[in-house]
Amino acid sequence: MSSILQGTLASEERLRWLSETLTVDGSVTIAAAAEALQVSDMTIRRDLAELEERGTARRVRGGARALGPQSFAERRQRAGRAKARIAAKLAELVPAKGVVAFDASSTVMRLASGMHAARDLMVLTNGPDTFAALQGLPGVTATLTGGRLEPRTGSLVGPLACRSAAQFTVQTLFASAAAVDAQRGALETTLEEAEVKRSIAQGAHDVVLAVDSSKLGGRAVAVGIDWERVDVLVTELDPGDERLTPYRDFVRVL
């Protein structure tokens, strides 16, 4: 293994340790992390800056604090390059006709600008922002699930959203997640969000899970979609990247 690859893996391992510590304790100090990981304070500062860029931590004096559920506007600004690469991969999976579903994620919303092949396509979504982005696109008819607006995530949730979603039979659900666990599947920051995604997934022939690599190995509150319902995992990484190895037993990786 090259020294460059070793360095990348070591960095990802540190980031995973920091993310897990933030999830459990709510905060982490630079001094404690540097001692535990046997690296310099400067290395931890760079790692915390990376976590802040990925939207999973907020730096404070001497360390960082965990972030709760972020607003849609905040999430939309995070990991822009990774989301653009993911959207380009997803565009190849969207049919020209039929019915598909998009969740309320900022990752999947990126698809709206790349749906040039649509001819007679209905898109069901529980995301008001996604619904707005789909307006006026040639060959696309957007439909909202209805439901209660969850201000923390910008998505429509609750019994009405779940019942409405369950009435549709869709070819493919395109969904993201707050985190991805190698054993449990796609995780969400709220129980309500998890319930809506499960409702849509129940009526989907295929489920495509699209997440940037910072979500791999992360943690969140609730299981949204388990691996038995996921058919394809899409990230910004090359499909042969070692970070995707734990998921190849469950799904096709793109």
Side-chain angles (χ1 to χ4, degrees), residues 161-217:
C162 291
R163 285 198 300 269
S164 175
Q167 300 304 309
F168 287 83
T169 299
V170 303
Q171 293 165 245
T172 306
L173 164 61
F174 295 89
S176 190
V180 177
D181 182 87
Q183 278 71 50
R184 306 192 71 185
L187 308 180
E188 302 299 333
T189 54
T190 69
L191 290 170
E192 293 88 352
E193 185 73 22
E195 289 171 352
V196 175
K197 290 189 182 181
R198 283 197 299 272
S199 296
I200 303 175
Q202 286 173 3
H205 185 271
D206 296 307
V207 175
V208 176
L209 180 62
V211 294
D212 69 80
S213 58
S214 70
K215 308 290 184 64
L216 301 177

Side-chain angles (χ1 to χ4, degrees), residues 55-200:
T56 58
R58 176 166 294 147
R59 286 182 293 171
V60 296
R61 184 177 180 84
R65 294 186 182 278
L67 287 177
Q70 293 176 281
S71 70
F72 185 88
E74 290 174 320
R75 288 183 286 121
R76 189 174 181 178
Q77 300 302 316
R78 303 291 184 180
R81 285 178 294 180
K83 290 176 181 177
R85 293 187 63 184
I86 291 169
K89 292 183 181 182
L90 293 178
E92 301 296 323
L93 304 177
V94 179
K97 300 180 179 182
V99 182
V100 298
F102 290 1
D103 73 354
S105 67
S106 59
T107 299
V108 172
M109 196 188 79
R110 293 263 179 156
L111 260 177
S113 62
M115 296 171 59
H116 307 301
R119 295 295 178 267
D120 184 17
L121 184 67
M122 175 182 286
V123 180
L124 172 70
T125 182
N126 71 318
D129 290 278
T130 299
F131 177 79
L134 293 169
Q135 298 306 303
L137 294 183
V140 175
T141 300
T143 300
L144 270 175
T145 59
R148 173 178 57 81
L149 181 65
E150 169 53 74
R152 294 174 296 177
T153 61
S155 59
L156 297 177
V157 298
L160 178 58
C162 291
R163 285 198 300 269
S164 175
Q167 300 304 309
F168 287 83
T169 299
V170 303
Q171 293 165 245
T172 306
L173 164 61
F174 295 89
S176 190
V180 177
D181 182 87
Q183 278 71 50
R184 306 192 71 185
L187 308 180
E188 302 299 333
T189 54
T190 69
L191 290 170
E192 293 88 352
E193 185 73 22
E195 289 171 352
V196 175
K197 290 189 182 181
R198 283 197 299 272
S199 296
I200 303 175

